[in-house]
Amino acid sequence: MTSTPSNRELQLTAAQILADLLSVPDLPELTWNLHAIGGFTDSYTPPCLGIDLLEGHASSHQAVRDWAAYLGAEVTLRHGVTPDARLIVKGLHADVVVKIWCAPEHRDDLPSGRA
């Protein structure tokens, strides 16, 4: 039986995944956020695509697509308007949900001024 990873193990795993992602060449720069989870580790294990631990905020819809292609994820429109790609990344201590997204106003799939 596998035990629930501790807060420290989840944070360490997410930080290691982030370090790996930061070393990827030739992809658009993202602003990364590693969420503080406190004692709520049960919310993150097992991983659920609706609850991300590590998120990258892109400055363009194309950047979300580029990262999604690299990670093997699909870009969807969260709430029908926000470009969003999510996937579960296997780590040493736990699996972590990574989300890449951009603000709706950066969508490039709509006529100008429609976001």
Side-chain angles (χ1 to χ4, degrees), residues 17-38:
I17 290 168
L18 176 58
D20 290 343
L21 293 174
L22 288 171
S23 69
V24 175
D26 303 324
L27 281 172
E29 205 170 297
L30 301 176
T31 301
W32 290 97
N33 185 25
L34 173 56
H35 297 287
I37 58 176

Side-chain angles (χ1 to χ4, degrees), residues 48-93:
C48 164
L49 288 177
I51 304 173
D52 52 276
L53 181 55
L54 181 61
E55 76 174 270
H57 181 242
S59 60
S60 73
H61 195 166
Q62 184 59 51
V64 175
R65 286 193 296 272
D66 291 347
W67 274 95
Y70 171 78
L71 295 168
E74 182 179 333
V75 177
T76 60
L77 293 176
R78 186 169 32 104
H79 306 296
V81 295
T82 304
D84 181 295
R86 295 169 188 250
L87 72 150
I88 297 172
V89 177
K90 294 198 175 293
L92 180 61
H93 300 289

Side-chain angles (χ1 to χ4, degrees), residues 1-2 12 20 45 55 68 79 84 89 101 108:
M1 183 168 125
T2 305
L12 177 61
D20 290 343
T45 54
E55 76 174 270
H79 306 296
D84 181 295
V89 177
W101 69 284
D108 60 14

Side-chain angles (χ1 to χ4, degrees), residues 100-111:
I100 310 294
W101 69 284
C102 75
E105 58 267 19
H106 297 300
R107 284 179 63 184
D108 60 14
D109 59 341
L110 296 173

